């Protein structure tokens, strides 16, 4: 059980006293563990001593320092450890003995091959929550395939529904499936810990595929097909559930997004753009019927927006109580006054690069808010301290392991 928090602990987050071993690589596992660390967990990042985590090579770098690494590995100690080596596997088993959570994303069967399967880990620590993230889960005909978020984005129905009707299926330009999986994995981890700590249960295995969470996010395609034989198709930025719903270009060559999921919002938008007459049409009374007249509604809204600057459009929509959002790039995000006021992007101090912007912790908690205590660290920065102080190894043994490339 996690010890009672002090006032200082509460400020760090609700997971103070929880130890997490991050034995995962790109991207879902590391992001899951980042979230746990943001809310106070003591996270130990386990990396290959020579290769490191592939995340170190993803994204932009400044002066050779990987920027994404600074965020996704914040609040994590790091140990260079080759767990494919028998001695490295033994060290990981020792670390797992006192851990609450171990997150891994090797291909199913890999941990077992290294002598670190669930039976071995739970024999050493019955309370351990073992979170196993893979492309397709631990069972089934695809379980031993290499799995990446791109494949999940394709197989979930996301790519099929994304893009213009007469264009190819479209993949996101970022790790969408992995990120959704990471959020789901953090939730699953907390459910398993609640079962253990609040219900008097024991540790368990969480089988988390990258595919399933994004399937849920894509929506009710399977049930609609099962019950009605419907297979939805691509509609660009439009929706089959409501209209107007699209992106529109302003007179200053910027873009805004309009949504009318609520009937009252649709009515406000059409009054604002000077077409109150369509409110009297029978088909305007429901979102799905409005979607059948999307061409007409898009022309009405698009013509009005195209004659005004983005600032003018947003101001008038806001005064009318209609829903609108600007289409932002990264520069727009950091300059936005709401993002700044809510501290969605915050500033932290990094040992290598000094002051830098990062996404803040993902939600606000009034009593245990969480924090960014430090940014991503160099490979093996904490190896000696963890082995000597936590596991009681002598320095001679540590030096010999390093000479054999078992640790870094």
């Amino acid at each position: 059980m996690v010890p009672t928090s002090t006032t200082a602990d509460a400020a760090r987050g609700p997971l103070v006293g929880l130890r997490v071993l991050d034995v995962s690589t790109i991207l879902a596992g590391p992001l899951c563990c980042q979230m746990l660390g943001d809310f106070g967990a003591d996270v130990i990042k386990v990396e290959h001593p020579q290769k490191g985590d592939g995340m170190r090579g993803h994204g932009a770098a400044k002066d050779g320092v990987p920027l994404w690494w600074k965020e996704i590995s914040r609040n994590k100690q790091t140990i260079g450890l080759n767990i494919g080596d028998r001695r490295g596997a033994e060290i990981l088993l020792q670390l797992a003995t006192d851990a609450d959570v171990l997150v891994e994303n090797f291909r199913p069967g890999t941990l077992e091959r290294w002598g670190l399967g669930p039976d071995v880990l739970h024999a050493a620590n019955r309370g351990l929550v073992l979170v196993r993230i893979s492309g397709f889960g631990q069972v089934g005909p695809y379980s031993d395939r290499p799995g990446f978020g791109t494949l999940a984005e394709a197989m979930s129905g996301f790519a099929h529904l994304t893009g213009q009707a007469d264009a190819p299926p479209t993949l996101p330009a970022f790790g969408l499936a992995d990120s959704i999986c990471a959020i789901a994995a953090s939730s699953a981890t907390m459910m398993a810990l609640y079962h253990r700590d609040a219900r008097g249960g024991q540790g368990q295995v969480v089988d988390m595929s990258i595919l399933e969470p994004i399937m849920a996010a894509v929506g009710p395609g399977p049930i609609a097909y099962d019950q009605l034989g419907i297979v939805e198709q691509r509609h660009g930025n439009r929706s089959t559930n409501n209209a107007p719903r699209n992106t529109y270009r302003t007179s200053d060559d910027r873009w805004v997004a309009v949504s009318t999921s609520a009937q009252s919002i649709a009515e406000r938008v059409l009054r604002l753009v000077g077409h109150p007459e369509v409110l009297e049409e029978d088909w305007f009374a429901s979102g799905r019927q409005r979607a059948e007249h999307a061409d007409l509604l898009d022309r009405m809204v698009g013509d009005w927006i195209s004659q005004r600057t983005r600032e003018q459009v947003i101001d008038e929509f806001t005064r009318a109580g209609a829903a609108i959002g600007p289409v932002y790039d990264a520069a727009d995000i950091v300059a936005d006054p709401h993002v700044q006021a809510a501290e969605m992007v915050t500033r932290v101090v990094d040992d290598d690069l000094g002051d830098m912007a990062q996404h803040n912790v993902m939600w606000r908690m009034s009593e245990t808010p969480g924090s960014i205590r430090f940014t991503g660290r160099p490979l093996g920065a904490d190896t000696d301290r963890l082995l000597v102080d936590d596991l009681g190894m002598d320095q001679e043994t540590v030096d010999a392991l390093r000479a054999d490339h078992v640790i870094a």
Side-chain angles (χ1 to χ4, degrees):
M1 297 284 279
V2 177
T4 303
S5 294
T6 64
T7 301
D9 287 343
R12 281 183 55 189
L15 303 183
V16 168
L18 197 76
R19 172 159 281 195
V20 176
L21 299 179
D22 179 1
V23 197
S24 62
T25 56
I26 310 164
L27 160 66
L31 181 54
C32 169
C33 293
Q34 177 208 307
M35 294 166 64
L36 299 177
D38 284 351
F39 287 95
D42 173 25
V43 181
I44 298 173
K45 176 69 183 177
V46 179
E47 303 179 73
H48 190 281
Q50 282 76 52
K51 301 175 184 176
D53 184 345
M55 286 299 305
R56 291 182 181 271
H58 272 53
K62 180 180 179 181
D63 300 331
V65 178
L67 299 179
W68 198 356
W69 179 261
K70 290 296 184 180
E71 179 169 310
I72 202 163
S73 286
R74 68 193 188 196
N75 296 330
K76 299 179 186 180
Q77 303 170 74
T78 173
I79 177 173
L81 182 63
N82 181 4
I83 58 178
D85 183 287
R86 176 186 54 79
R87 292 164 294 176
E90 290 173 354
I91 291 172
L92 182 66
L93 186 60
Q94 292 180 61
L95 290 170
T97 300
D98 292 323
D100 296 280
V101 178
L102 188 153
V103 179
E104 63 97 0
N105 69 338
F106 298 108
R107 198 179 302 189
T110 302
L111 278 189
E112 288 82 351
R113 191 171 69 250
W114 290 338
L116 292 169
D119 55 337
V120 175
L121 291 168
H122 282 144
N125 178 359
R126 198 65 196 94
L128 183 70
V129 173
L130 174 58
V131 182
R132 311 196 75 174
I133 298 174
S134 60
F136 304 103
Q138 299 294 312
V139 298
Y142 302 161
S143 61
D144 62 348
R145 292 184 181 181
F148 297 97
T150 298
L151 310 186
E153 288 147 9
M155 296 175 67
S156 64
F158 173 86
H160 170 75
L161 291 175
T162 304
Q164 298 299 321
D166 57 352
T170 300
L171 295 167
F174 55 93
L176 177 64
D178 277 277
S179 299
I180 295 173
C181 179
I183 297 170
S186 70
S187 177
T189 300
M190 298 315 301
M191 290 181 190
L193 290 170
Y194 184 81
H195 165 74
R196 186 194 72 177
D197 296 341
R199 300 297 191 189
Q202 55 193 22
Q204 60 183 295
V205 176
V206 175
D207 181 1
M208 173 65 65
S209 77
I210 298 174
L211 178 59
E212 283 187 87
I214 190 172
M215 281 177 59
V218 168
I223 192 173
Y225 174 72
D226 176 72
Q227 296 296 304
L228 300 171
I230 294 173
V231 176
E232 293 283 359
Q233 301 299 319
R234 289 186 292 286
H235 302 283
N237 292 321
R238 289 178 174 176
S239 169
T240 58
N241 297 313
N242 66 83
R245 191 263 198 184
N246 214 325
T247 57
Y248 305 91
R249 192 193 298 265
T250 62
S251 64
D252 54 347
D253 202 27
R254 309 300 291 271
W255 290 87
V256 293
V258 172
S259 176
T260 58
S261 296
Q263 181 69 23
S264 61
I265 298 295
E267 293 171 2
R268 292 172 195 168
V269 169
L270 269 298
R271 287 194 186 100
L272 173 64
V273 301
H275 290 282
E277 73 280 2
V278 297
L279 276 63
E280 306 304 320
E281 300 286 348
D282 290 342
W283 54 261
F284 198 85
S286 76
R288 184 164 284 276
Q289 287 181 293
R290 293 199 311 274
E292 295 173 358
H293 295 78
D295 287 344
L296 172 65
L297 296 175
D298 273 347
R299 282 198 302 273
M300 291 175 172
V301 174
D303 288 348
W304 186 90
I305 287 176
S306 68
Q307 299 170 37
R308 292 160 176 82
T309 67
R310 185 174 76 174
E311 183 178 0
Q312 290 172 329
V313 170
I314 291 174
D315 286 347
E316 294 197 43
F317 264 71
T318 301
R319 280 195 296 271
I324 193 167
V327 176
Y328 274 172
D329 59 21
D332 295 320
I333 292 170
V334 297
D336 182 87
H338 182 82
V339 171
Q340 293 176 356
E343 296 185 82
M344 295 178 183
V345 175
T346 190
R347 308 221 49 103
V348 297
V349 177
D350 175 69
D351 289 343
D352 296 312
L353 299 175
D355 182 68
M356 63 167 53
Q358 288 194 3
H359 293 107
N360 207 342
V361 298
M362 203 172 288
W363 51 81
R364 308 292 178 264
M365 299 180 69
S366 61
E367 302 301 317
T368 53
S371 63
I372 302 171
R373 302 181 297 282
F374 53 89
T375 57
R377 292 165 63 71
L379 173 60
D382 304 285
T383 299
D384 285 38
R385 186 188 58 74
L386 289 167
L387 297 186
V388 174
D389 295 350
D390 287 24
L391 300 186
M393 287 188 183
D394 59 76
Q395 192 61 51
E396 184 178 355
T397 300
V398 172
D399 293 341
L401 290 169
R402 182 168 284 113
D404 288 343
H405 305 293
V406 177
I407 64 172

